[in-house]
Amino acid sequence: MDLKDKITVIESLSDGESTFEVLEFNNLDGATDPSMAMAIYFAKQAGLKSRIVRIKMNNSSIKTEAGALYYSKGQFTSDAKIGGVGGFFKKGISGALTSESLVKPSYKGTGEIYLEPSFKHYFMIQLNNESIVVDKGVFYCCSNSLELKAFSQKNVSSAVLGGDGIFQLQISGTGVLVLELPIPKNEIVEYELDGTEELKVDGDFSFARTETVNFSVTKSQKSLFKSAMSGEGFLNTYTGTGKVWLAPTSSIYKDLSFGFMPDNSNMNNGELD
């Protein structure tokens, strides 16, 4: 059976040279024991599907998260240079401070590249001479034309209390960016700030913002005492002009993932209903 009979392309975006696709496996049919079969059954009932990112390339190049490559078909060369001792030191510091891997390998050639399959979700963004700042660990792959570098928080409050540390990852230029997220695209909330309003978030579930948006941590009330009494404490605050992307349901999935076991009441004599 051909792979196309097993998968559905659920999203596609091109930079003019490479086409980035999110593929979803229609079914998992490889159970080899009852325990695995039960897990697959409940996953199917819950709508849980495995996904994989495929990049179709025509004499083009891309960057990926380190270790993301699963397999490739075609002719490719790989480049993981880090620019000598100075480049190693600079990228090592940036990687440590952003919790990102030290090297983002690039691949150049013609054919298809497949990245590691996952039950997570993927969010594609088309950048057009733009710059965005993303949360730790969400970068997955992008057009090689995009520049990646460490972004320093602009004030002490955001660095100490914001939950992301002193540095985040900044992606700039024109091309396609793919982020790996714990929630599906239809649950992402995108806000456009016009420079006259504030967006205040009780938590660190904002995963990206345009560079033109200012980020700080502020008290929920005018005084520390009132902030403590209100139960809110400090809020992540976004101002300026640009976009902010939120993953408001991420904490719900995190809560559900701990200690959940399926009810076996629908099992009859060891067989699935």
Side-chain angles (χ1 to χ4, degrees):
M1 181 179 293
D2 193 82
L3 182 62
K4 66 182 181 181
D5 298 317
K6 297 282 293 180
I7 62 172
T8 300
V9 179
I10 61 173
E11 190 171 5
S12 178
L13 201 57
S14 174
D15 62 10
E17 296 180 340
S18 301
T19 300
F20 296 76
E21 298 177 330
V22 178
L23 314 180
E24 192 171 76
F25 287 89
N26 298 326
N27 291 293
L28 295 176
D29 301 321
T32 57
D33 58 66
S35 176
M36 188 186 301
M38 184 174 69
I40 291 176
Y41 170 79
F42 284 109
K44 183 176 181 180
Q45 293 298 107
L48 184 64
K49 293 187 177 182
S50 178
R51 299 170 194 88
I52 192 169
V53 171
R54 174 173 66 188
I55 305 108
K56 295 180 178 179
M57 301 168 61
N58 182 18
N59 193 28
S60 55
S61 55
I62 63 164
K63 295 186 184 84
T64 73
E65 179 57 61
L69 178 67
Y70 198 43
Y71 67 95
S72 64
K73 181 170 69 73
Q75 295 292 329
F76 294 99
T77 59
S78 175
D79 184 4
K81 291 190 300 183
I82 53 179
V85 176
F88 181 88
F89 179 77
K90 181 179 178 180
K91 292 188 178 183
I93 293 295
S94 296
L97 293 175
T98 62
S99 296
E100 299 286 347
S101 58
L102 176 65
V103 179
K104 298 289 190 288
S106 63
Y107 302 92
K108 181 178 181 179
T110 298
E112 297 179 353
I113 283 182
Y114 293 79
L115 303 185
E116 290 277 354
S118 171
F119 284 113
K120 289 187 177 182
H121 304 273
Y122 301 99
F123 181 52
M124 294 186 179
I125 304 175
Q126 178 77 61
L127 298 182
N128 184 17
N129 195 26
E130 298 173 275
S131 182
I132 71 169
V133 179
V134 302
D135 202 356
K136 297 175 182 177
V138 301
F139 171 82
Y140 198 57
C141 64
C142 69
S143 306
N144 201 44
S145 56
L146 295 178
E147 179 186 3
L148 280 62
K149 65 180 182 180
F151 177 85
S152 175
Q153 303 287 14
K154 296 180 179 179
N155 54 70
V156 175
S157 66
S158 58
V160 176
L161 302 173
D164 292 315
I166 300 174
F167 288 86
Q168 291 177 285
L169 185 65
Q170 179 178 334
I171 301 105
S172 306
T174 297
V176 174
L177 169 65
V178 181
L179 305 179
E180 186 181 48
L181 300 177
I183 72 169
K185 182 179 179 179
N186 63 354
E187 294 178 10
I188 293 172
V189 177
E190 177 184 307
Y191 282 108
E192 182 90 36
L193 299 180
D194 62 6
T196 65
E197 54 191 354
E198 293 181 329
L199 175 64
K200 294 191 174 183
V201 179
D202 183 15
D204 58 355
F205 54 88
S206 167
F207 64 88
R209 67 185 186 276
T210 52
E211 185 193 5
T212 53
V213 171
N214 301 313
F215 168 54
S216 62
V217 178
T218 60
K219 301 186 296 291
S220 61
Q221 302 292 330
K222 291 183 178 181
S223 70
L224 287 174
F225 176 76
K226 289 183 177 179
S227 294
M229 293 299 291
S230 71
E232 299 299 336
F234 295 93
L235 300 174
N236 288 356
T237 302
Y238 303 88
T239 59
T241 302
K243 295 179 181 179
V244 180
W245 289 271
L246 304 179
T249 56
S250 58
S251 61
I252 298 175
Y253 291 112
K254 187 180 295 184
D255 292 341
L256 290 173
S257 68
F258 289 105
F260 176 76
M261 292 295 291
D263 184 1
N264 293 338
S265 61
N266 290 328
M267 300 286 290
N268 294 320
N269 300 320
E271 295 182 357
L272 297 176
D273 284 341

